[in-house]
mmCIF file with all atom_site columns, all heavy atoms in Angstrom:
data_model
loop_
_atom_site.group_PDB
_atom_site.id
_atom_site.type_symbol
_atom_site.label_atom_id
_atom_site.label_alt_id
_atom_site.label_comp_id
_atom_site.label_asym_id
_atom_site.label_entity_id
_atom_site.label_seq_id
_atom_site.pdbx_PDB_ins_code
_atom_site.Cartn_x
_atom_site.Cartn_y
_atom_site.Cartn_z
_atom_site.occupancy
_atom_site.B_iso_or_equiv
_atom_site.pdbx_formal_charge
_atom_site.auth_seq_id
_atom_site.auth_comp_id
_atom_site.auth_asym_id
_atom_site.auth_atom_id
_atom_site.pdbx_PDB_model_num
ATOM 1  N N   . HIS A 1 199 ? 9.577   2.669   10.518  1.00 93.00 ? 199 HIS A N   1
ATOM 2  C CA  . HIS A 1 199 ? 8.612   1.994   9.709   1.00 93.00 ? 199 HIS A CA  1
ATOM 3  C C   . HIS A 1 199 ? 7.219   2.098   10.326  1.00 93.00 ? 199 HIS A C   1
ATOM 4  O O   . HIS A 1 199 ? 6.232   2.396   9.634   1.00 93.00 ? 199 HIS A O   1
ATOM 5  C CB  . HIS A 1 199 ? 9.013   0.517   9.542   1.00 93.00 ? 199 HIS A CB  1
ATOM 6  C CG  . HIS A 1 199 ? 8.025   -0.284  8.796   1.00 93.00 ? 199 HIS A CG  1
ATOM 7  N ND1 . HIS A 1 199 ? 8.073   -0.517  7.429   1.00 93.00 ? 199 HIS A ND1 1
ATOM 8  C CD2 . HIS A 1 199 ? 6.932   -0.974  9.223   1.00 93.00 ? 199 HIS A CD2 1
ATOM 9  C CE1 . HIS A 1 199 ? 7.059   -1.306  7.077   1.00 93.00 ? 199 HIS A CE1 1
ATOM 10 N NE2 . HIS A 1 199 ? 6.357   -1.585  8.131   1.00 93.00 ? 199 HIS A NE2 1
ATOM 11 N N   . GLU A 1 278 ? -21.190 -11.149 -11.756 1.00 96.00 ? 278 GLU A N   1
ATOM 12 C CA  . GLU A 1 278 ? -21.783 -10.979 -13.073 1.00 96.00 ? 278 GLU A CA  1
ATOM 13 C C   . GLU A 1 278 ? -23.264 -10.808 -13.014 1.00 96.00 ? 278 GLU A C   1
ATOM 14 O O   . GLU A 1 278 ? -23.875 -10.019 -13.758 1.00 96.00 ? 278 GLU A O   1
ATOM 15 C CB  . GLU A 1 278 ? -21.439 -12.200 -13.944 1.00 96.00 ? 278 GLU A CB  1
ATOM 16 C CG  . GLU A 1 278 ? -20.078 -12.160 -14.548 1.00 96.00 ? 278 GLU A CG  1
ATOM 17 C CD  . GLU A 1 278 ? -19.994 -11.119 -15.645 1.00 96.00 ? 278 GLU A CD  1
ATOM 18 O OE1 . GLU A 1 278 ? -20.827 -11.089 -16.555 1.00 96.00 ? 278 GLU A OE1 1
ATOM 19 O OE2 . GLU A 1 278 ? -19.015 -10.303 -15.565 1.00 96.00 ? 278 GLU A OE2 1
ATOM 20 N N   . ARG A 1 325 ? 0.454   -23.123 8.208   1.00 93.00 ? 325 ARG A N   1
ATOM 21 C CA  . ARG A 1 325 ? 0.556   -22.891 6.768   1.00 93.00 ? 325 ARG A CA  1
ATOM 22 C C   . ARG A 1 325 ? 0.501   -24.226 6.046   1.00 93.00 ? 325 ARG A C   1
ATOM 23 O O   . ARG A 1 325 ? 1.315   -25.104 6.331   1.00 93.00 ? 325 ARG A O   1
ATOM 24 C CB  . ARG A 1 325 ? 1.848   -22.184 6.462   1.00 93.00 ? 325 ARG A CB  1
ATOM 25 C CG  . ARG A 1 325 ? 1.970   -21.687 5.012   1.00 93.00 ? 325 ARG A CG  1
ATOM 26 C CD  . ARG A 1 325 ? 3.360   -21.132 4.747   1.00 93.00 ? 325 ARG A CD  1
ATOM 27 N NE  . ARG A 1 325 ? 3.525   -19.746 5.184   1.00 93.00 ? 325 ARG A NE  1
ATOM 28 C CZ  . ARG A 1 325 ? 4.698   -19.111 5.220   1.00 93.00 ? 325 ARG A CZ  1
ATOM 29 N NH1 . ARG A 1 325 ? 5.806   -19.743 4.844   1.00 93.00 ? 325 ARG A NH1 1
ATOM 30 N NH2 . ARG A 1 325 ? 4.819   -17.850 5.599   1.00 93.00 ? 325 ARG A NH2 1
ATOM 31 N N   . LYS A 1 328 ? 3.137   -25.882 0.881   1.00 87.00 ? 328 LYS A N   1
ATOM 32 C CA  . LYS A 1 328 ? 3.076   -25.203 -0.418  1.00 87.00 ? 328 LYS A CA  1
ATOM 33 C C   . LYS A 1 328 ? 1.868   -24.267 -0.545  1.00 87.00 ? 328 LYS A C   1
ATOM 34 O O   . LYS A 1 328 ? 1.456   -23.946 -1.628  1.00 87.00 ? 328 LYS A O   1
ATOM 35 C CB  . LYS A 1 328 ? 3.035   -26.223 -1.581  1.00 87.00 ? 328 LYS A CB  1
ATOM 36 C CG  . LYS A 1 328 ? 4.237   -27.109 -1.603  1.00 87.00 ? 328 LYS A CG  1
ATOM 37 C CD  . LYS A 1 328 ? 4.396   -27.784 -2.933  1.00 87.00 ? 328 LYS A CD  1
ATOM 38 C CE  . LYS A 1 328 ? 5.665   -28.669 -2.903  1.00 87.00 ? 328 LYS A CE  1
ATOM 39 N NZ  . LYS A 1 328 ? 5.685   -29.530 -4.062  1.00 87.00 ? 328 LYS A NZ  1
ATOM 40 N N   . GLU A 1 345 ? -7.693  0.132   1.281   1.00 94.00 ? 345 GLU A N   1
ATOM 41 C CA  . GLU A 1 345 ? -8.560  0.710   0.256   1.00 94.00 ? 345 GLU A CA  1
ATOM 42 C C   . GLU A 1 345 ? -10.006 0.765   0.733   1.00 94.00 ? 345 GLU A C   1
ATOM 43 O O   . GLU A 1 345 ? -10.741 1.688   0.413   1.00 94.00 ? 345 GLU A O   1
ATOM 44 C CB  . GLU A 1 345 ? -8.454  -0.136  -1.030  1.00 94.00 ? 345 GLU A CB  1
ATOM 45 C CG  . GLU A 1 345 ? -9.083  0.514   -2.242  1.00 94.00 ? 345 GLU A CG  1
ATOM 46 C CD  . GLU A 1 345 ? -8.612  1.898   -2.565  1.00 94.00 ? 345 GLU A CD  1
ATOM 47 O OE1 . GLU A 1 345 ? -7.519  2.288   -2.091  1.00 94.00 ? 345 GLU A OE1 1
ATOM 48 O OE2 . GLU A 1 345 ? -9.321  2.624   -3.257  1.00 94.00 ? 345 GLU A OE2 1
ATOM 49 N N   . GLU B 2 313 ? 8.481   -27.243 -10.149 1.00 96.00 ? 313 GLU B N   1
ATOM 50 C CA  . GLU B 2 313 ? 9.388   -28.415 -10.036 1.00 96.00 ? 313 GLU B CA  1
ATOM 51 C C   . GLU B 2 313 ? 9.526   -29.196 -11.329 1.00 96.00 ? 313 GLU B C   1
ATOM 52 O O   . GLU B 2 313 ? 9.926   -30.371 -11.321 1.00 96.00 ? 313 GLU B O   1
ATOM 53 C CB  . GLU B 2 313 ? 8.934   -29.346 -8.887  1.00 96.00 ? 313 GLU B CB  1
ATOM 54 C CG  . GLU B 2 313 ? 8.824   -28.591 -7.544  1.00 96.00 ? 313 GLU B CG  1
ATOM 55 C CD  . GLU B 2 313 ? 8.607   -29.441 -6.358  1.00 96.00 ? 313 GLU B CD  1
ATOM 56 O OE1 . GLU B 2 313 ? 9.450   -30.302 -6.101  1.00 96.00 ? 313 GLU B OE1 1
ATOM 57 O OE2 . GLU B 2 313 ? 7.588   -29.243 -5.677  1.00 96.00 ? 313 GLU B OE2 1
ATOM 58 N N   . GLU B 2 358 ? 9.926   -0.481  1.756   1.00 95.00 ? 358 GLU B N   1
ATOM 59 C CA  . GLU B 2 358 ? 10.806  -0.594  2.912   1.00 95.00 ? 358 GLU B CA  1
ATOM 60 C C   . GLU B 2 358 ? 12.249  -0.398  2.551   1.00 95.00 ? 358 GLU B C   1
ATOM 61 O O   . GLU B 2 358 ? 13.023  0.185   3.316   1.00 95.00 ? 358 GLU B O   1
ATOM 62 C CB  . GLU B 2 358 ? 10.552  -1.955  3.596   1.00 95.00 ? 358 GLU B CB  1
ATOM 63 C CG  . GLU B 2 358 ? 11.203  -2.116  4.954   1.00 95.00 ? 358 GLU B CG  1
ATOM 64 C CD  . GLU B 2 358 ? 10.791  -1.008  5.949   1.00 95.00 ? 358 GLU B CD  1
ATOM 65 O OE1 . GLU B 2 358 ? 9.749   -0.354  5.774   1.00 95.00 ? 358 GLU B OE1 1
ATOM 66 O OE2 . GLU B 2 358 ? 11.554  -0.770  6.897   1.00 95.00 ? 358 GLU B OE2 1
ATOM 67 N N   . SER B 2 454 ? -9.234  5.095   -6.516  1.00 23.00 ? 454 SER B N   1
ATOM 68 C CA  . SER B 2 454 ? -10.423 4.702   -5.761  1.00 23.00 ? 454 SER B CA  1
ATOM 69 C C   . SER B 2 454 ? -11.626 5.563   -6.037  1.00 23.00 ? 454 SER B C   1
ATOM 70 O O   . SER B 2 454 ? -12.168 5.557   -7.114  1.00 23.00 ? 454 SER B O   1
ATOM 71 C CB  . SER B 2 454 ? -10.085 4.634   -4.281  1.00 23.00 ? 454 SER B CB  1
ATOM 72 O OG  . SER B 2 454 ? -9.680  5.903   -3.880  1.00 23.00 ? 454 SER B OG  1
ATOM 73 N N   . ARG B 2 462 ? -17.808 -3.543  -18.343 1.00 27.00 ? 462 ARG B N   1
ATOM 74 C CA  . ARG B 2 462 ? -16.684 -4.456  -18.240 1.00 27.00 ? 462 ARG B CA  1
ATOM 75 C C   . ARG B 2 462 ? -16.103 -4.755  -19.564 1.00 27.00 ? 462 ARG B C   1
ATOM 76 O O   . ARG B 2 462 ? -16.749 -4.700  -20.579 1.00 27.00 ? 462 ARG B O   1
ATOM 77 C CB  . ARG B 2 462 ? -17.198 -5.748  -17.613 1.00 27.00 ? 462 ARG B CB  1
ATOM 78 C CG  . ARG B 2 462 ? -16.955 -5.840  -16.123 1.00 27.00 ? 462 ARG B CG  1
ATOM 79 C CD  . ARG B 2 462 ? -17.121 -7.259  -15.681 1.00 27.00 ? 462 ARG B CD  1
ATOM 80 N NE  . ARG B 2 462 ? -16.089 -8.085  -16.253 1.00 27.00 ? 462 ARG B NE  1
ATOM 81 C CZ  . ARG B 2 462 ? -16.299 -9.171  -16.985 1.00 27.00 ? 462 ARG B CZ  1
ATOM 82 N NH1 . ARG B 2 462 ? -17.514 -9.575  -17.216 1.00 27.00 ? 462 ARG B NH1 1
ATOM 83 N NH2 . ARG B 2 462 ? -15.306 -9.862  -17.452 1.00 27.00 ? 462 ARG B NH2 1
#
Side-chain angles (χ1 to χ4, degrees):
Chain A
H199 176 94
E278 278 289 310
R325 189 187 278 170
K328 300 199 179 167
E345 191 54 21
Chain B
E313 305 189 58
E358 192 54 22
S454 60
R462 263 195 66 235

